[in-house]
Amino acid sequence: MKIVYIAKSLAPIGGLERVLSDKMNYLVTKDYDVTLVTYEQGKHPFAFHLDDRIHHYDLHVVFFALHRYGFLKRVLLQQYYRILFKKRLQKLITETKPDVIITTTYSMIVVDKIANLRTSAFKIIESHVAYHVMRKQDSYRPNTILHYIARFIDQFTIKAVGKFDLLVTLTKSDAEEWSKHISRMAVIPNPITKYPETVTHSQDTKCRIICAGRLDGQKGFDMLIDAFALIADQCPQWHIDIFGSGEEKEKLMYQIKANGLFGRIVINNPTDDIYHEYSSSDFFVLSSRFEGFGLVLAEAMSCAIPCVSFNCPYGPEEIITDTVDGLLAKACEVKDLADKMLWMIKHEEERKKMGIRAREKARRYQMDTVMRQWTTLLESVK
């Protein structure tokens, strides 16, 4: 079976890039013919290893470069780029004749062009961005010009997604939102890159909390800092290590210093061995305002450490069973997050038991388990 994946780029170090790389690498080991088509990769290296058997083509349609132009030229060039994208992609699809085409909701700028390709291939779109985040009209005040423009774009986008043969969501909650508009759906979670065969933890508490993710507004590290500031005096030996990079690093560093937490909260560069960092910690905290899934939760749990997470849309409540293998705080409520973190700090024995149960729960996200769902789906469309 020939499968074509279409993605903007696999250059950034992020969850989507890692998951797509893992999926494609898995499929080629099962004798699927896999092609990756990017359109903004250019000469940038892939963030994660790709099997040499994966074919790669870049269409070189650089939408990201449009920001350098004025509004009118940007609008006109965007339409030209969309036409160019469709022309180059159509030529490639005609030549390769795939059985299945897969893209994600990260490619919304060209989703209609992919949906309308002239091909007999079965077209799948994966929702990696929660439905409510994809909708732009809610970002503007009702009854304003921008609200109506965004509403029109939302309707156009939803109609384009509806033209795919199947929408695959990562969570049941996201599927429920999309079901108001689309009936052909499946729910398949993201797989974790690896499930450690063994986990060795020291019996001594490390007094270390770990967090990981992009340093941007979505990940809510500003709320994490505020939450820890509320309890820091009650747990003077404890500290937080954040692993990530992004546009808000300086802002977050200033917030850490302003709260008198310099040295207690440390922002580290992204690491190639995050599993080692999980295993060297007592528990993980996810402070996101929203998620597509929350893969870091399952990763941390696989290393036998429990998680404290905002119950944000979507993912945490489907990964964590509250008070059993982790704790869920009310979405974006800093005081509740602080209370849950303090409980985890003060209840060492319960925390360790939660970690054992968390590791067992994480088995459902092992690569083979999740990818069997994908191969069953792919074989069903023959």
Side-chain angles (χ1 to χ4, degrees):
M1 175 181 283
K2 287 179 150 184
I3 303 173
V4 167
Y5 275 88
I6 302 172
K8 179 169 61 175
S9 164
L10 293 190
I13 300 175
L16 173 70
E17 291 76 17
R18 179 157 43 138
V19 166
L20 288 183
S21 301
D22 287 345
K23 287 180 178 178
M24 289 187 288
N25 288 338
Y26 180 93
L27 290 171
V28 292
T29 67
K30 302 301 179 182
D31 297 325
Y32 287 87
D33 185 334
V34 179
T35 296
L36 168 65
V37 178
T38 57
Y39 49 95
E40 292 187 345
Q41 185 77 28
K43 296 182 179 180
H44 298 287
F46 297 119
F48 303 97
H49 169 73
L50 282 185
D51 191 293
D52 292 338
R53 288 169 288 183
I54 297 172
H55 316 291
H56 173 237
Y57 301 93
D58 188 69
L59 303 180
H60 193 64
V61 185
V62 288
F63 290 97
F64 68 83
L66 292 175
H67 73 277
R68 69 184 66 169
Y69 303 109
F71 176 76
L72 181 58
K73 187 173 183 179
R74 187 165 66 246
V75 171
L76 293 173
L77 276 176
Q78 183 181 94
Q79 294 309 308
Y80 168 72
Y81 282 3
R82 279 167 39 81
I83 294 169
L84 185 63
F85 169 86
K86 174 67 178 300
K87 180 180 179 180
R88 292 177 177 175
L89 179 60
Q90 183 65 68
K91 181 175 183 295
L92 183 60
I93 294 300
T94 301
E95 292 172 353
T96 56
K97 297 181 173 61
D99 300 295
V100 178
I101 295 172
I102 303 175
T103 191
T104 77
T105 49
Y106 271 80
S107 296
M108 283 302 193
I109 195 169
V110 289
V111 68
D112 60 308
K113 301 299 184 185
I114 299 172
N116 291 319
L117 285 168
R118 297 188 306 276
T119 176
S120 61
F122 190 89
K123 294 190 283 272
I124 299 173
I125 184 165
E126 298 183 42
S127 175
H128 282 262
V129 179
Y131 171 82
H132 79 284
V133 178
M134 183 279 303
R135 278 167 48 101
K136 302 303 181 186
Q137 59 187 289
D138 298 331
S139 301
Y140 304 98
R141 287 184 291 114
N143 301 318
T144 62
I145 294 296
L146 290 177
H147 175 82
Y148 286 115
I149 292 174
R151 183 179 177 183
F152 171 78
I153 294 173
D154 288 345
Q155 291 173 340
F156 178 82
T157 301
I158 290 170
K159 184 178 180 180
V161 172
K163 291 182 179 180
F164 282 77
D165 296 300
L166 185 71
L167 169 69
V168 176
T169 67
L170 303 176
T171 65
K172 295 177 182 177
S173 299
D174 196 24
E176 288 175 4
E177 293 286 355
W178 278 106
S179 67
K180 301 169 186 175
H181 310 282
I182 296 167
S183 58
R184 304 179 303 280
M185 290 190 298
V187 179
I188 304 177
N190 278 334
I192 54 178
T193 301
K194 66 178 182 180
Y195 184 91
E197 291 185 12
T198 59
V199 176
T200 302
H201 283 290
S202 167
Q203 292 302 309
D204 299 326
T205 297
K206 307 167 191 67
C207 299
R208 187 201 201 204
I209 301 166
I210 184 172
C211 311
R214 296 185 313 277
L215 305 180
D216 62 16
Q218 176 195 340
K219 299 301 180 181
F221 289 121
D222 56 320
M223 294 187 288
L224 170 73
I225 295 167
D226 286 341
F228 192 62
L230 294 175
I231 63 173
D233 289 343
Q234 301 178 61
C235 51
Q237 294 181 316
W238 284 73
H239 67 283
I240 297 177
D241 273 315
I242 300 171
F243 289 86
S245 61
E247 58 192 23
E248 292 199 353
K249 183 174 182 177
E250 288 188 15
K251 177 182 175 182
L252 294 171
M253 289 292 294
Y254 177 83
Q255 185 182 354
I256 289 169
K257 293 177 181 177
N259 278 282
L261 296 172
F262 184 77
R264 298 284 305 277
I265 301 179
V266 178
I267 298 178
N268 305 275
N269 290 328
T271 174
D272 293 332
D273 195 3
I274 190 64
Y275 280 81
H276 170 73
E277 302 300 339
Y278 293 141
S279 298
S280 303
S281 307
D282 290 291
F283 64 95
F284 181 93
V285 176
L286 185 135
S287 54
S288 297
R289 290 176 165 85
F290 60 89
E291 283 288 343
F293 178 62
L295 186 62
V296 287
L297 294 174
E299 289 180 344
M301 291 165 69
S302 74
C303 296
I305 66 170
C307 300
V308 176
S309 174
F310 276 138
N311 190 13
C312 65
Y314 302 110
E317 69 177 351
E318 296 186 29
I319 298 173
I320 296 171
T321 302
D322 191 29
T323 74
V324 175
D325 47 44
L327 296 176
L328 292 172
K330 296 176 183 176
C332 297
E333 292 199 13
V334 171
K335 177 62 167 58
D336 197 31
L337 182 65
D339 290 343
K340 297 296 193 296
M341 291 168 64
L342 188 60
W343 187 97
M344 197 69 83
I345 287 169
K346 290 188 171 183
H347 294 79
E348 182 178 354
E349 289 305 313
E350 290 90 339
R351 182 178 72 238
K352 290 179 179 178
K353 290 177 182 177
M354 279 187 175
I356 294 170
R357 292 191 289 265
R359 177 167 162 79
E360 188 61 30
K361 170 75 80 61
R363 289 184 183 278
R364 68 180 63 179
Y365 304 111
Q366 287 180 280
M367 185 66 66
D368 280 340
T369 301
V370 172
M371 290 309 295
R372 275 199 298 270
Q373 297 179 58
W374 268 105
T375 53
T376 298
L377 170 62
L378 292 170
E379 294 305 313
S380 73
V381 304
K382 280 186 176 180

